[in-house]
Amino acid sequence: MKQYQGYLIDLDGTMYQGNQKIDGAAEFIHYLNEHEIPHLFVTNNSTKEPEQVADKLHTMGVEANSDEVVTSALATAEFIADKDPGATVYMLGGSGLRTALTEHGLKLKDDEFVDYVVIGLDEAVTYDKLATATLAVRNGAKFISTNKDVSIPKERGFMPGNGAITSVVSVSTGVDPIFIGKPEPIIMNKALDILSLDKKNVAMIGDLYDTDILSGINIDIDTIHVQTGVTTKEELTEKDIPPTYTFADLNEVIAELEGAD
């Protein structure tokens, strides 16, 4: 396997599975830190702040700092602030999205007369929230969604994801949103900018083909699939563009890297 100068790394299914550790995850990050190889954790989760993500990684024995975490909430806030500083926003979502938007100087409003509608995963979503978002889009607000994941893994099973919530407003208004998170290039290009490395020397690591692996393919970087989450090795044979590599877990990736030293 090629030696890379930097890595973009998925979380759920790659670093951990819900609240369970994944064998090899902590060891892989330790290997990167020991060899001073830069890396970022890239997540579609918009509900958590980077500090909260880093704290969860710590509970799994994974070395992580908040400045190594790129969330779809951060990428969304930066996307809007770059285009329209100080814009007004009606949002659905959690504290991670709220904090990211306000810290980027955007003004949150609780009505349908805004510049942007931003939808992130909102586990307390109501008809009234969706109605306000719908009216705002109909009034001409630009429509942004943190990610298109239609389902997310929970202890009870796969639950409705942000893409499912977003679809209510999209279907009602006939307006398709701009999606920010994986597999879209926006979040990935933000992460590449932070790494400041030539993308031919960066690889994306993840378990889910339709988000993690496609996100790498969509920005033309190499991809490393790990068989510790959703997409199986057998399912990869049905894909038009396979990942650059696939491994049982991150222990195998470490072995490959050590063998190439």
Side-chain angles (χ1 to χ4, degrees):
M1 188 179 91
K2 175 181 173 178
Q3 290 273 18
Y4 295 94
Q5 295 176 10
Y7 294 89
L8 305 178
I9 307 168
D10 171 54
L11 290 177
D12 210 338
T14 303
M15 288 288 103
Y16 49 74
Q17 190 74 268
N19 291 315
Q20 300 296 316
K21 298 178 181 179
I22 290 181
D23 190 38
E27 293 80 1
F28 179 69
I29 300 304
H30 180 72
Y31 174 90
L32 296 184
N33 287 333
E34 194 173 46
H35 290 78
E36 298 183 340
I37 300 171
H39 55 279
L40 295 172
F41 302 101
V42 183
T43 175
N44 276 356
N45 189 336
S46 67
T47 65
K48 305 295 184 186
E49 298 174 32
E51 293 80 6
Q52 293 173 303
V53 175
D55 287 346
K56 178 168 183 175
L57 286 167
H58 290 157
T59 67
M60 304 289 174
V62 177
E63 303 162 19
N65 300 314
S66 60
D67 59 3
E68 294 172 333
V69 178
V70 179
T71 68
S72 61
L74 285 175
T76 297
E78 185 172 289
F79 177 80
I80 297 172
D82 284 349
K83 289 183 176 297
D84 199 353
T88 56
V89 177
Y90 177 75
M91 63 153 276
L92 276 70
S95 63
L97 182 56
R98 180 177 298 276
T99 299
L101 293 171
T102 55
E103 287 185 348
H104 280 76
L106 301 169
K107 300 177 179 65
L108 302 185
K109 292 183 64 182
D110 197 24
D111 61 51
E112 62 267 29
F113 304 104
V114 290
D115 301 313
Y116 288 84
V117 166
V118 175
I119 298 185
L121 182 63
D122 188 337
E123 296 183 2
V125 67
T126 63
Y127 182 87
D128 189 59
K129 289 181 180 180
L130 292 167
T132 300
T134 298
L135 290 170
V137 172
R138 289 187 181 279
N139 286 337
K142 299 177 183 70
F143 187 15
I144 308 287
S145 179
T146 58
N147 66 287
K148 61 174 64 172
D149 299 351
V150 295
S151 61
I152 52 174
K154 294 279 190 177
E155 286 73 16
R156 293 169 59 192
F158 282 92
M159 308 290 279
N162 186 59
I165 295 172
T166 302
S167 70
V168 175
V169 177
S170 183
V171 170
S172 180
T173 61
V175 177
D176 293 327
I178 296 172
F179 287 105
I180 303 296
K182 298 177 294 184
E184 302 305 314
I186 295 172
I187 192 171
M188 297 295 287
N189 285 328
K190 173 178 171 56
L192 282 178
D193 287 344
I194 294 171
L195 282 182
S196 296
L197 295 171
D198 189 315
K199 67 181 183 179
K200 71 175 184 241
N201 296 317
V202 178
M204 174 68 199
I205 302 176
D207 70 294
L208 182 56
Y209 183 90
D210 290 339
T211 53
D212 307 322
I213 302 306
L214 267 185
S215 69
I217 291 169
N218 286 342
I219 61 166
D220 196 28
I221 65 173
D222 285 355
T223 53
I224 300 170
H225 171 258
V226 285
Q227 301 153 29
T228 51
V230 177
T231 305
T232 65
K233 184 178 180 180
E234 291 71 30
E235 287 170 336
L236 294 178
T237 62
E238 303 170 5
K239 306 300 182 181
D240 292 335
I241 304 175
T244 312
Y245 308 98
T246 183
F247 295 101
D249 57 28
L250 287 167
N251 283 320
E252 283 195 0
V253 178
I254 297 169
E256 285 285 326
L257 292 172
E258 289 179 335
D261 285 343

